[in-house]
Amino acid sequence: MGRIGGSDAISTPLLHDCASLLYRFISESPGCTAEAAAVALGMDRRDIDEAVRDLRELGLLSTEHTGSERPESEWPNSEQPEPERPDSDQPLVPHPVDFARVKVLNPLQRDLNRKQALVDELRGDLDELELHSPLSQQSRCTLEIVSELADVRRLITGFAEECCDEALASQPGGAREEEVLADSMDRTTRLLERGVTMRTLYQHTARFSPTTLAYVDLVTPLGAQVRTLASGFPRCIIFDRKVGILPLVDGSKGAVIVRDPQILAFVSDAFDRAWTTASALTSDDGRADRAAATSEIQHAIISLLTQGESDKRIAQVVGISLRNCQRHISHIMKSIGARNRLHAGYLLSKEPFNGH
């Protein structure tokens, strides 16, 4: 393998605005001098001189001394004169842009290609080294982005078929859609019939959904356990703590498939902690259970309200519609006699809300 770096780096000026402007001007003004260009363009003579030096170095310009002078791009390296400040009466001679390509871009491109080849070779060597390193295989974080919802559902079905011991699921957002519950029913039934332990976390708002309660009524006799939280737990599904499905941060319908044991252990532990504080959900929950859930929802709203969260954000966290969230907030503010949200925060900090 070769070496990356070295002392043969090529240095060349960039084509700044002053140089570009001067080049276009002298291309349209044959025989123009530096002094005339400075006057015509309204530029400082020092800027003109710097632009001339840059253009000469790029092979785009020469100053005409005699009719036999060759363009700078045609000078052998040993013959090229040092750039000097052009005299005011020396015409500036523009050269075709191809001169700059030959003089500057081609050597730069060759140098870049050489370095890119070395980078590619080194990257391949490192990848090969990592592939055959047991330590790297164990510590590698494996993530797979799946963009399409249909592909996500197929993967969930496949992972469920391979699951042997435990399935954890968190589905925040309140009431579940009937189509989604129907789609998961066969998969859930097969899991439970194989003796797989299945725990699911919903939000308290799911307690007010007849569709969700009907689903719970079907799966709990088979061994499923369902609990709810006021603010919920982030959406996830984990099979045997070996593979997990997590949502994408952009909120799209896709998902990220996680197989890294460290990430899965962290999410599973957080799930277990949330599970211990959640309330069991059964289809025969009475009015007292729903009243307690409503009270917890209101206190979650109050907590977010005093933190200054927007109505939309509060609705997302507690898993209810924006309209219902605003109705709760209006009820809370009316109950405590608050004139506005700021006043409500002050009153709630002085005396806890009693739920009436």
Side-chain angles (χ1 to χ4, degrees):
M1 187 177 73
R3 298 183 65 84
I4 296 178
S7 58
D8 57 345
I10 299 175
S11 175
T12 185
L14 296 176
L15 195 59
H16 295 294
D17 291 343
C18 288
S20 297
L21 185 61
L22 177 62
Y23 180 81
R24 289 195 295 269
F25 178 75
I26 62 176
S27 296
E28 298 170 357
S29 308
C32 177
T33 64
E35 186 66 32
V39 173
L41 296 174
M43 295 170 58
D44 187 273
R45 180 59 194 269
R46 287 175 298 181
D47 293 335
I48 288 290
D49 293 342
E50 184 178 351
V52 169
R53 285 194 296 270
D54 288 348
L55 290 173
R56 291 179 64 174
E57 195 170 341
L58 288 169
L60 291 171
L61 176 148
S62 66
T63 50
E64 189 176 77
H65 290 282
T66 67
S68 62
E69 183 180 2
R70 290 177 293 174
E72 290 183 19
S73 60
E74 297 179 3
W75 281 83
N77 290 337
S78 60
E79 297 182 21
Q80 284 190 13
E82 290 294 323
E84 58 184 20
R85 174 172 177 165
D87 295 334
S88 300
D89 59 350
Q90 291 179 358
L92 303 176
V93 181
H95 300 310
V97 173
D98 279 344
F99 280 23
R101 292 193 177 99
V102 172
K103 179 178 180 179
V104 177
L105 284 189
N106 289 355
L108 283 174
Q109 187 64 59
R110 287 194 296 270
D111 187 59
L112 180 63
N113 291 343
R114 180 181 64 82
K115 289 181 178 179
Q116 185 62 55
L118 291 174
V119 168
D120 291 341
E121 183 179 355
L122 179 57
R123 180 182 290 113
D125 291 342
L126 293 175
D127 289 344
E128 185 73 14
L129 183 64
E130 182 182 36
L131 185 63
H132 294 88
S133 170
L135 180 60
S136 296
Q137 290 178 345
Q138 293 175 4
S139 61
R140 187 184 307 162
C141 176
T142 54
L143 302 175
E144 177 186 355
I145 303 297
V146 182
S147 303
E148 298 297 328
L149 179 59
D151 294 332
V152 175
R153 288 178 173 174
R154 281 193 290 269
L155 284 171
I156 291 175
T157 299
F159 294 148
E161 293 296 333
E162 298 171 358
C163 184
C164 299
D165 301 313
E166 178 189 54
L168 308 177
S170 173
Q171 302 292 347
R176 306 295 311 288
E177 295 181 11
E178 184 174 359
E179 177 187 357
V180 174
L181 292 175
D183 179 66
S184 67
M185 189 64 208
D186 289 343
R187 179 174 65 240
T188 301
T189 301
R190 290 195 296 271
L191 269 173
L192 295 171
E193 287 177 345
R194 294 203 307 271
V196 174
T197 300
M198 183 171 183
R199 290 185 288 158
T200 302
L201 277 173
Y202 291 146
Q203 287 187 267
H204 281 341
T205 45
R207 294 175 178 270
F208 304 92
S209 166
T211 302
T212 305
L213 292 176
Y215 171 80
V216 172
D217 193 30
L218 291 173
V219 297
T220 49
L222 300 176
Q225 302 175 61
V226 183
R227 295 186 181 184
T228 66
L229 289 165
S231 297
F233 186 81
R235 190 180 307 278
C236 67
I237 306 176
I238 300 175
F239 296 102
D240 289 335
R241 309 201 178 203
K242 295 180 179 179
V243 62
I245 299 95
L246 305 180
L248 297 176
V249 294
D250 61 6
S252 63
K253 297 295 185 179
V256 57
I257 310 303
V258 181
R259 293 183 175 84
D260 183 84
Q262 307 301 324
I263 297 177
L264 291 172
F266 178 85
V267 177
S268 299
D269 182 64
F271 183 97
D272 291 338
R273 292 170 184 267
W275 181 263
T276 61
T277 64
S279 304
L281 173 63
T282 62
S283 59
D284 58 354
D285 279 352
R287 179 176 297 180
D289 295 312
R290 290 192 292 271
T294 300
S295 178
E296 287 192 37
I297 292 171
Q298 288 180 334
H299 280 88
I301 291 174
I302 289 170
S303 176
L304 294 165
L305 185 65
T306 56
Q307 294 173 36
E309 298 287 357
S310 66
D311 292 356
K312 182 178 180 180
R313 174 59 180 164
I314 294 173
Q316 290 175 340
V317 172
V318 299
I320 58 178
S321 68
L322 179 59
R323 176 174 295 184
N324 282 339
C325 177
Q326 292 170 337
R327 188 179 296 118
H328 276 290
I329 293 174
S330 177
H331 169 70
I332 293 168
M333 293 179 64
K334 184 177 180 180
S335 298
I336 63 178
R339 296 187 297 272
N340 50 49
R341 293 170 72 102
L342 183 62
H343 189 212
Y346 171 77
L347 294 176
L348 291 168
S349 67
K350 294 295 182 180
E351 183 177 350
F353 180 66
N354 59 18
H356 300 298

